């Protein structure tokens, strides 16, 4: 029988579930000791947002549990008394974004009231400390008619910054609410757009903008229904969409001024990264003032020094580049002079925090496969690592103490306490401990090799659960997205290597040229070279892993990736398909030409390809997977979701069409209610079951090979 016909018959024999079929995503808890699986993953408690009380005695943090029957996560707020050995106490059943009051005796948080997100306060005060067991009921303190998007309390606790999405020509929140309600009632469903963004990430634009407001608490701790608009005349989102947060706005220490960052939209928003930092008086007596007008690249995340004389913020130097290095900048507010604090630190930090004495700045950053917390001397720029291995998530400081969340490749996040210098680090919560005692995970090891241009490149290997020396195992070769990202020593609820290790696979991944945490030149190296040096790194990394780890079965391996990793999966399908028994592509770029016109954030496409597609078409064709479909031969599972506007679903449909037309065994899995990520618990289970099923099918020892030419 001809190889092509044989492959087609095999594909028919294992036909996927079609529309109307029922997919079993039921949750049945695995009793006793077992290999880690996706049902363990989706049911884990997700710990985050640690907040240390002003006196350093109490830790507040959020925990997201999973209501599997309702197919959603449920957020709650817990408080732990750090002065004694005890268990965290749930003080808010349904709420998030908890922040301490200035006196440390109350917590503010966000939760719905009659279907609208509002600000609430729960008073915990008691004699000799907080009364966590018998505190007063929470009280709603905001009364806006729109969902509260974010907030930040003033240093004295008397005022609060509030973010709402409004129509900027409306003078009240009620005006926006009434206009939205009128649209909902309109029997005509069309929307007329006159500029981009038409849609962004997973949401169609309705003309609303996140705007910054301020309100003061009255004698009863209540806020007015109509706060004061501070961002008058600003055509932009504060915080930015889709992932901005309260780190993008801040009070001055005296509470008289407010700082925020924003990108002015105009008609250039989709191809601009020109964020600027503004100041505005808190009484609204003047319009916002641009403090960074000279820099046409990204300025953001303002933090004022305790004496109010210096404003620290992060700044990029290259316009139109979202993955440029963020430098720590210091602006003298009196003279207007500025300096780069950390010119010799070749890392790109996240948002800033400052010590009470103003001498030290704190930030996390990717660093050689880890994501530590660093201290930066505000005067000299000297950088020191406070908390190293693993991934530091949120953190806060008070009373000479440091509170943070930390995770790694073998365990999800918990809360840790340390001294302000990072010493005496200890774990103070033990969420998921019982689950991890029963659900076995695989050991991991980082390795280095010589990659493209003879540069040192890093990767890691995860051993399968129940690994036995002398045996060989099939391999899941994971290609990370970004592309300016990295596979690090951290826990993830998407693309977690342990879900494959629990299925009996070894995992190999490579942080190729373009990855973060290895210096800005290494990150920059991928731009304009998507299918070049990164592919060479992957080839050399695969060889290095096979040479170093004898338990890897190179004859039973599949490659898989998402986003840029999905692009690379399509690329290697045509130019490096020899090692692979199967491929899995999640939300990848199939046609780089069409991608330019289909996506929303054009600055990314233009930076990565050296300009627009119509001015430089050759750059878009240089590494276009579509042009190599004639050489595709490896069975492929394509996953693409309906609400992915970053890489629209037509990219996945095009690839699946190519596979089917070529007669290559292939399946297409789509989620109409998911975006670039698969987030809902049942969808996550279905995704993992489909992916693991595809891996097992094609790496089985009796599996048929790829289609021959």
């Amino acid at each position: 029988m001809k190889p092509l016909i044989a492959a087609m018959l095999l594909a028919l024999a294992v036909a996927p579930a079609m529309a109307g079929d029922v997919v079993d995503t039921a949750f049945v808890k695995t009793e006793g000791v077992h290999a880690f699986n996706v049902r363990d993953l989706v049911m884990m408690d997700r710990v985050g947002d640690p907040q240390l009380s002003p006196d350093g005695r109490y830790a507040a943090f959020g925990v997201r549990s999973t209501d599997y029957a309702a197919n959603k996560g449920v957020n709650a707020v817990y408080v732990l008394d750090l002065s004694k050995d005890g268990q965290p106490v749930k003080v808010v059943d349904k709420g998030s974004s908890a922040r301490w009051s200035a006196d440390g005796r109350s917590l503010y948080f966000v939760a719905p009231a009659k279907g609208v997100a509002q600000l609430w306060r729960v008073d915990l005060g008691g004699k000799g400390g907080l009364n966590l067991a018998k505190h007063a009921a929470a009280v709603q303190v905001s009364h806006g008619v729109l969902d509260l998007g974010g907030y930040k309390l003033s240093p004295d606790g008397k005022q609060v910054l509030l973010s709402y999405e409004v129509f900027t020509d409306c003078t009240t929140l009620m005006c926006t609410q009434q206009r939205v309600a009128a649209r909902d009632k309109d029997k005509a469903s069309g929307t007329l757009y006159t500029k981009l963004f038409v849609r962004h990430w997973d949401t169609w634009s309705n003309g609303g903008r996140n705007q910054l407001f301020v309100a003061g608490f009255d004698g009863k701790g209540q806020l007015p229904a109509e706060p004061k608009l501070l961002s008058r005349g600003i055509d932009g989102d504060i915080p930015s969409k889709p992932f901005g947060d309260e780190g993008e706005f801040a009070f001055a220490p005296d509470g008289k001024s407010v700082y925020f960052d924003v990108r002015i939209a105009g008609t250039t928003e989709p191809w601009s990264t020109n964020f600027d930092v503004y100041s505005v008086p808190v009484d609204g007596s003047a319009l916002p003032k641009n403090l960074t007008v000279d820099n046409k690249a990204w300025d953001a995340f303002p933090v004022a020094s305790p004496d109010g004389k210096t404003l620290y913020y992060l700044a990029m130097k290259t316009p139109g580049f979202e993955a440029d290095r963020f430098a720590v900048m210091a602006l003298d507010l009196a003279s207007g002079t500025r300096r780069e604090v950390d010119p010799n630190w070749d890392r790109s930090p996240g948002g800033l925090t400052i010590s009470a004495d103003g001498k030290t700045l704190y930030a996390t950053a990717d660093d050689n496969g880890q994501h530590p917390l660093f201290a930066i001397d505000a005067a000299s720029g000297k950088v020191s690592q406070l908390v190293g291995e693993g991934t530091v998530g949120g953190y806060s400081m008070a009373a000479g103490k440091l509170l943070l969340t930390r995770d790694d490749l073998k365990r999800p996040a918990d809360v840790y306490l340390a001294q302000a210098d990072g010493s005496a680090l200890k774990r103070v919560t033990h969420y998921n401990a019982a689950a991890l005692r029963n659900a076995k995970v695989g050991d991991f090891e980082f390795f280095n090799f010589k990659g493209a241009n003879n540069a040192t490149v890093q990767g890691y290997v995860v051993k399968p659960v129940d690994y036995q020396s002398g045996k060989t195992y099939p391999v899941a070769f994971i290609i990370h997205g970004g592309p300016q990202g990295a596979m690090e020593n951290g826990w993830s609820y998407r693309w977690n290597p342990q879900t494959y290790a629990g299925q009996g696979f070894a995992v190999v991944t490579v942080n190729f040229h373009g990855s973060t945490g290895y210096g800005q030149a290494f990150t920059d190296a991928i731009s304009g070279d998507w299918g070049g040096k990164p592919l060479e790194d992957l080839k050399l990394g695969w060889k290095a892993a096979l040479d170093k780890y004898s338990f890897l079965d190179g004859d039973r391996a599949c490659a898989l990736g998402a986003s840029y990793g999905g692009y690379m999966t399509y690329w290697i399908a045509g130019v490096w398909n020899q090692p692979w028994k199967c491929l899995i592509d999640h939300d990848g770029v199939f046609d780089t030409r069409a991608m330019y016109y289909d996506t929303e954030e054009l600055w990314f496409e233009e930076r990565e390809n050296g300009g627009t597609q119509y001015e430089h078409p050759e750059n878009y064709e240089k590494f276009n997977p579509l042009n190599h479909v004639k050489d595709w031969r490896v069975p492929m599972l394509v996953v693409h979701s309906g609400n992915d506007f970053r890489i629209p679903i037509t990219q996945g449909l095009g690839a699946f069409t190519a596979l089917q037309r070529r007669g290559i065994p292939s399946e297409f899995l789509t989620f109409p209610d998911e975006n670039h990520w698969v987030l809902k618990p049942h969808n996550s289970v279905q995704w993992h079951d489909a992916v693991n099923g595809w891996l097992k099918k094609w790496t089985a020892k009796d599996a048929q090979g790829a289609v021959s030419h």
Side-chain angles (χ1 to χ4, degrees):
M1 184 179 293
K2 293 183 179 180
L4 179 58
I5 298 175
M8 293 178 68
L9 290 176
L10 179 62
L12 290 172
V14 289
M18 301 300 291
D21 289 350
V22 176
V23 178
D24 183 10
T25 58
F27 175 76
V28 179
K29 184 177 181 180
T30 307
E31 300 295 340
V33 178
H34 62 278
F36 184 79
N37 61 56
V38 63
R39 286 161 176 80
D40 296 312
L41 183 73
V42 299
M43 294 306 294
M44 285 187 154
D45 291 327
R46 307 185 188 186
V47 180
D49 197 18
Q51 301 294 323
L52 195 56
S53 63
D55 62 2
R57 177 175 171 179
Y58 297 94
F61 53 91
V63 178
R64 194 202 110 160
S65 58
T66 299
D67 184 340
Y68 198 73
N71 201 24
K72 66 179 182 180
V74 178
N75 294 303
V77 177
Y78 287 77
V79 174
L80 175 64
D81 187 344
L82 299 168
S83 68
K84 59 181 70 172
D85 292 329
Q87 296 299 313
V89 177
K90 185 191 292 187
V91 297
V92 175
D93 285 329
K94 293 182 180 179
S96 61
S97 303
R99 299 293 181 268
W100 291 101
S101 61
D103 63 7
R105 298 179 68 79
S106 301
L107 275 173
Y108 291 88
F109 64 96
V110 177
K114 297 181 179 179
V116 178
Q118 302 283 5
L119 187 64
W120 295 68
R121 186 189 71 249
V122 57
D123 296 323
L124 304 172
K127 294 182 179 180
L130 302 185
N131 188 346
L132 302 181
K134 297 181 180 180
H135 56 78
V139 176
Q140 180 184 341
V141 298
S142 77
H143 304 275
V145 294
L146 303 176
D147 285 325
L148 176 62
Y151 75 99
K152 182 167 284 187
L153 298 164
S154 63
D156 62 7
K158 295 180 180 179
Q159 301 179 92
V160 60
L161 295 173
L162 307 161
S163 176
Y164 291 99
E165 185 180 56
V166 299
F167 297 117
T168 55
D169 60 338
C170 277
T171 58
T172 64
L173 301 185
M174 182 61 74
C175 166
T176 293
Q177 192 274 336
Q178 290 173 341
R179 190 178 299 180
V180 170
R183 283 187 176 183
D184 290 342
K185 294 178 181 178
D186 194 341
K187 293 182 179 180
S189 61
T191 301
L192 179 66
Y193 293 96
T194 59
K195 64 178 182 178
L196 300 172
F197 290 115
V198 168
R199 57 186 190 175
H200 197 184
W201 187 249
D202 61 3
T203 304
W204 288 87
S205 173
N206 67 354
R209 290 284 181 199
N210 291 341
Q211 294 283 280
L212 194 61
F213 297 78
V214 68
F217 294 102
D218 66 17
K220 296 181 179 180
Q222 295 291 303
L223 296 174
E226 291 289 347
K228 182 187 301 179
L229 176 66
L230 290 182
S231 52
R232 285 185 295 142
I234 295 293
D235 179 21
D237 290 294
I238 312 163
S240 58
K241 295 176 181 177
F243 303 120
D245 58 25
E246 66 271 17
E248 297 187 48
F249 51 85
F251 278 100
D254 61 6
K256 295 181 180 180
S257 298
V258 169
Y259 305 102
F260 63 87
D261 67 67
V262 66
R263 174 180 53 209
I264 301 302
T267 58
T268 65
E269 186 177 24
W271 52 91
S272 169
T273 59
N274 186 21
F275 283 76
D276 282 303
V277 176
Y278 287 73
S279 66
V280 63
V282 78
D283 62 6
S285 58
L287 292 174
K289 177 184 178 182
N290 190 341
L291 302 178
T292 60
V293 65
D294 293 337
N295 184 27
K296 302 306 180 184
W298 198 332
D299 304 287
F301 310 112
V303 173
S305 62
D307 62 10
K309 296 180 180 180
T310 304
L311 184 69
Y312 296 97
Y313 62 96
L314 300 180
M316 294 183 178
K317 296 181 174 66
T318 306
F321 187 24
E322 67 178 12
D324 194 14
R325 172 181 171 267
F326 265 129
V328 180
M329 303 298 295
L331 170 64
D332 185 298
L333 291 168
S335 67
T337 60
R338 70 193 73 230
R339 64 182 176 88
E340 183 175 347
V341 175
D342 61 336
N344 298 317
W345 189 36
D346 196 8
R347 295 293 183 267
S348 188
L352 298 171
T353 301
I354 193 165
S355 61
D357 62 8
K359 295 181 179 180
T360 308
L361 296 160
Y362 302 93
T364 59
D366 289 351
D367 184 61
N368 291 307
Q370 316 289 335
H371 191 78
L373 175 65
F374 296 92
I376 308 162
D377 185 274
S380 69
K382 181 181 178 182
V383 178
S384 57
Q385 182 177 286
L386 297 185
V387 179
E389 288 193 5
T391 295
V392 174
Y395 64 94
S396 64
M397 308 191 77
K401 297 179 181 178
L402 167 65
L403 189 74
L404 58 96
T405 57
R406 182 168 173 257
D407 59 83
D408 59 37
L409 275 164
K410 296 184 71 172
R411 59 188 61 82
D414 261 311
V415 180
Y416 290 75
L417 181 69
Q419 298 300 309
D421 62 1
S423 63
L425 180 71
K426 66 175 182 179
R427 184 164 54 156
V428 294
T429 67
H430 296 82
Y431 286 87
N432 303 302
L436 287 173
R437 277 195 297 270
N438 285 329
K440 294 183 292 182
V441 296
D443 293 327
F444 67 93
E445 179 179 311
F446 281 83
F447 67 96
N448 294 325
F449 62 94
K450 291 298 182 181
N453 295 337
N454 208 35
T456 298
V457 179
Q458 186 184 58
Y460 66 71
V461 168
V462 181
K463 292 180 178 179
V465 171
D466 294 327
Y467 164 80
Q468 295 179 27
S469 179
K471 291 187 63 175
T472 60
Y473 298 89
V475 185
F477 186 74
I478 298 178
I479 307 168
H480 75 67
Q484 293 90 357
M487 291 288 285
E488 296 179 315
N489 183 12
W491 190 262
S492 176
Y493 291 93
R494 302 185 311 275
W495 292 87
N496 188 318
Q498 297 294 355
T499 63
Y500 307 102
Q503 297 293 311
F505 288 88
V507 176
V508 176
T509 190
V510 171
N511 285 332
F512 45 79
H513 276 80
S515 300
T516 53
Y518 305 95
Q520 192 58 40
F522 192 87
T523 301
D524 290 345
I526 196 171
S527 296
D529 195 32
W530 273 31
K533 289 186 292 295
L535 177 62
E536 188 175 351
D537 288 340
L538 291 171
K539 289 180 176 180
L540 292 170
W542 177 236
K543 182 180 184 303
L546 291 176
D547 290 344
K548 183 177 178 64
Y549 302 104
S550 60
F551 59 85
L552 302 176
D553 188 342
D555 293 325
R556 292 194 296 145
C558 292
L560 57 165
S563 197
Y564 171 83
Y567 158 84
M568 180 54 76
T569 301
Y570 289 142
W571 181 240
I572 68 177
V575 303
W576 184 44
N577 54 40
Q578 295 81 10
W580 314 117
K581 292 298 183 184
C582 73
L583 300 171
I584 298 172
D585 191 292
H586 177 103
D587 290 7
V589 177
F590 168 62
D591 180 2
T592 53
R593 180 196 313 115
M595 174 66 178
Y596 177 78
Y597 297 101
D598 289 344
T599 193
E600 9 87 295
E601 293 183 352
L602 292 177
W603 66 76
F604 176 78
E605 288 295 310
E606 293 178 9
R607 165 66 189 186
E608 294 306 296
N609 293 286
T612 64
Q613 189 279 333
Y614 51 84
E615 292 175 314
H616 303 280
E618 69 283 357
N619 295 350
Y620 288 78
E621 296 305 316
K622 184 177 181 181
F623 299 114
N624 192 347
L626 177 145
N627 294 331
H628 296 271
V629 168
K630 64 181 177 59
D631 296 318
W632 285 17
R633 56 187 289 275
V634 177
M636 188 186 305
L637 169 65
V638 176
V639 184
H640 219 115
S641 296
N643 282 336
D644 185 357
F645 302 156
R646 181 62 42 82
I647 302 178
I649 193 172
T650 48
Q651 294 281 323
L653 285 168
F656 184 57
T657 299
L659 289 158
Q660 290 281 298
R661 188 65 181 86
R662 292 274 292 107
I664 298 171
S666 51
E667 295 180 3
F668 181 69
L669 174 63
T670 185
F671 298 94
D673 55 346
E674 297 284 8
N675 54 34
H676 202 52
W677 304 326
V678 174
L679 301 175
K680 295 180 179 179
H682 283 260
N683 287 347
S684 180
V685 169
Q686 185 182 1
W687 186 96
H688 282 85
D689 285 351
V691 166
N692 287 325
W694 192 254
L695 290 171
K696 290 178 179 179
K697 169 184 166 184
W698 294 105
T699 59
K701 292 184 177 180
D702 59 350
Q704 297 294 316
V707 173
S708 298
H709 294 299

